[in-house]
Amino acid sequence: MQKYLDCALEASEIARELIATAYDENAFKIEIKADATPVTEVDIAVEKAIYDHISQAFPDHGFYGEESGQKNMNSDFIWLIDPIDGTKAFVRRRPLFSCQIALMYKGEIVLGVSTAPCFNGGERIYALKGKGAFLEGKKISVSDIDQLSQAVFSSGNLKRLTQNPENWRNYGKLVGQMNSTRGFGDFLQYHFLATGKVDIIVESDVNILDIAALSIIVNEAGGVMTTLDGQAIDLDVTTILAATPGLHQQVLDLLQYSA
């Protein structure tokens, strides 16, 4: 699998340069998609550059991109790409966006690269199944926190969760037991979890392209990442619970999430 990770890292460097240059120049076209979310010409250009690089190396692989959709999805190998996860932040000049590249083999995510070109001077975390997770080459791990009263909690999008009164009440009970609550959002909370700065993450409105790379990063850093009802991550995922191994089941038990 190392050759696939090497290719993904190369693609992430191409993406990093394109995104950082566009961000610095602050001159790009913006359109609004059918779902009312923005897309820029940078999103499209970065996804094409990633696709071109990967498909040149592995022409038989499948590809699922945020902007270009699905290609050759019957392949055992499927690349999952979100060129700019956090386009709203990119457009509004907040440096809290990232490029997400993951590879799924026979339904299992086996590598992930999460690159934040304009955060903290440029930050990249990557993971390969069975080999661990790394921040710019240095191995990382989640914290050993196993008590809710000591936990740092972060939440992302929660619209779906608020629509069920029982889910919302249980969420309130969970938050009430935290040591600290924040909403770091997007890639950042997962980077913080994988490096021991955050202990629990809850989101109810995601898709696989948002979190594919981040899921293996969290798992390889020693964390546990599932849906809010404890199911494995798959292409249809919409909710996320990510936590240290000592906290994950405790949160599941408190949330009792019902879709």
Side-chain angles (χ1 to χ4, degrees), residues 1 4 64 76-81 100-113 126-131 207-220 225 232-237 240:
M1 291 290 176
Y4 303 126
Y64 182 7
D76 286 344
F77 293 91
I78 299 173
W79 291 89
L80 307 171
I81 311 297
Q100 300 292 316
I101 302 175
L103 177 62
M104 179 177 281
Y105 175 64
K106 293 185 176 180
E108 181 183 14
I109 298 168
V110 294
L111 71 81
V113 181
Y126 56 90
L128 183 64
K129 181 176 171 56
K131 302 296 184 181
N207 67 59
I208 187 61
L209 301 181
D210 297 327
I211 55 82
L214 296 164
S215 68
I216 188 168
I217 286 169
V218 168
N219 289 336
E220 286 295 319
M225 190 156 160
I233 305 298
D234 61 21
L235 289 175
D236 298 319
V237 66
I240 289 295

Side-chain angles (χ1 to χ4, degrees), residues 61-117:
H61 286 193
F63 192 88
Y64 182 7
E66 175 74 16
E67 310 307 333
S68 59
Q70 301 179 356
K71 303 173 184 177
N72 193 24
M73 294 294 284
N74 291 325
S75 173
D76 286 344
F77 293 91
I78 299 173
W79 291 89
L80 307 171
I81 311 297
D82 193 338
I84 303 180
D85 180 45
T87 300
K88 292 178 182 178
F90 178 73
V91 169
R92 293 291 300 274
R93 307 292 297 163
R94 300 191 306 269
L96 303 179
F97 52 84
S98 64
C99 175
Q100 300 292 316
I101 302 175
L103 177 62
M104 179 177 281
Y105 175 64
K106 293 185 176 180
E108 181 183 14
I109 298 168
V110 294
L111 71 81
V113 181
S114 174
T115 305

Side-chain angles (χ1 to χ4, degrees), residues 183-200:
F184 294 108
D186 293 322
F187 81 93
L188 185 57
Q189 58 190 348
Y190 294 97
H191 281 207
F192 280 176
L193 176 61
T195 53
K197 302 178 182 71
V198 161
D199 309 303
I200 302 169

Side-chain angles (χ1 to χ4, degrees), residues 17-253:
E17 183 173 350
L18 288 172
I19 295 168
T21 298
Y23 188 76
D24 288 343
E25 294 176 352
N26 194 25
F28 43 81
K29 295 179 181 178
I30 306 169
E31 296 181 1
I32 303 300
K33 296 190 286 189
D35 63 359
T37 60
V39 60
T40 72
E41 60 184 337
V42 186
D43 294 77
I44 296 168
V46 170
E47 185 167 308
K48 183 179 185 304
I50 293 171
Y51 172 76
D52 288 346
H53 184 79
I54 292 174
S55 62
Q56 183 175 9
F58 308 111
D60 296 331
H61 286 193
F63 192 88
Y64 182 7
E66 175 74 16
E67 310 307 333
S68 59
Q70 301 179 356
K71 303 173 184 177
N72 193 24
M73 294 294 284
N74 291 325
S75 173
D76 286 344
F77 293 91
I78 299 173
W79 291 89
L80 307 171
I81 311 297
D82 193 338
I84 303 180
D85 180 45
T87 300
K88 292 178 182 178
F90 178 73
V91 169
R92 293 291 300 274
R93 307 292 297 163
R94 300 191 306 269
L96 303 179
F97 52 84
S98 64
C99 175
Q100 300 292 316
I101 302 175
L103 177 62
M104 179 177 281
Y105 175 64
K106 293 185 176 180
E108 181 183 14
I109 298 168
V110 294
L111 71 81
V113 181
S114 174
T115 305
C118 302
F119 173 75
N120 198 25
E123 179 172 296
R124 181 174 64 178
I125 296 182
Y126 56 90
L128 183 64
K129 181 176 171 56
K131 302 296 184 181
F134 300 85
L135 169 59
E136 301 295 356
K138 182 179 180 180
K139 197 165 187 177
I140 56 176
S141 66
V142 300
S143 77
D144 59 1
I145 298 294
D146 61 4
Q147 296 183 46
L148 294 173
S149 61
Q150 297 178 353
V152 177
F153 174 89
S154 180
S155 61
N157 292 322
L158 297 172
K159 286 184 179 181
R160 183 179 286 105
L161 191 148
T162 68
Q163 293 168 6
N164 180 311
E166 185 176 357
N167 287 342
W168 192 232
R169 282 194 297 271
N170 290 341
Y171 177 80
K173 293 176 183 177
L174 172 66
V175 170
Q177 297 195 41
M178 294 300 107
N179 176 273
S180 174
T181 59
R182 296 291 185 270
F184 294 108
D186 293 322
F187 81 93
L188 185 57
Q189 58 190 348
Y190 294 97
H191 281 207
F192 280 176
L193 176 61
T195 53
K197 302 178 182 71
V198 161
D199 309 303
I200 302 169
I201 298 167
V202 169
E203 294 201 80
S204 67
D205 301 79
V206 300
N207 67 59
I208 187 61
L209 301 181
D210 297 327
I211 55 82
L214 296 164
S215 68
I216 188 168
I217 286 169
V218 168
N219 289 336
E220 286 295 319
V224 182
M225 190 156 160
T226 66
T227 63
L228 285 179
D229 56 358
Q231 301 302 306
I233 305 298
D234 61 21
L235 289 175
D236 298 319
V237 66
T238 58
T239 69
I240 289 295
L241 167 59
T244 68
L247 290 170
H248 186 269
Q249 187 61 50
Q250 295 182 60
V251 178
L252 276 181
D253 293 343

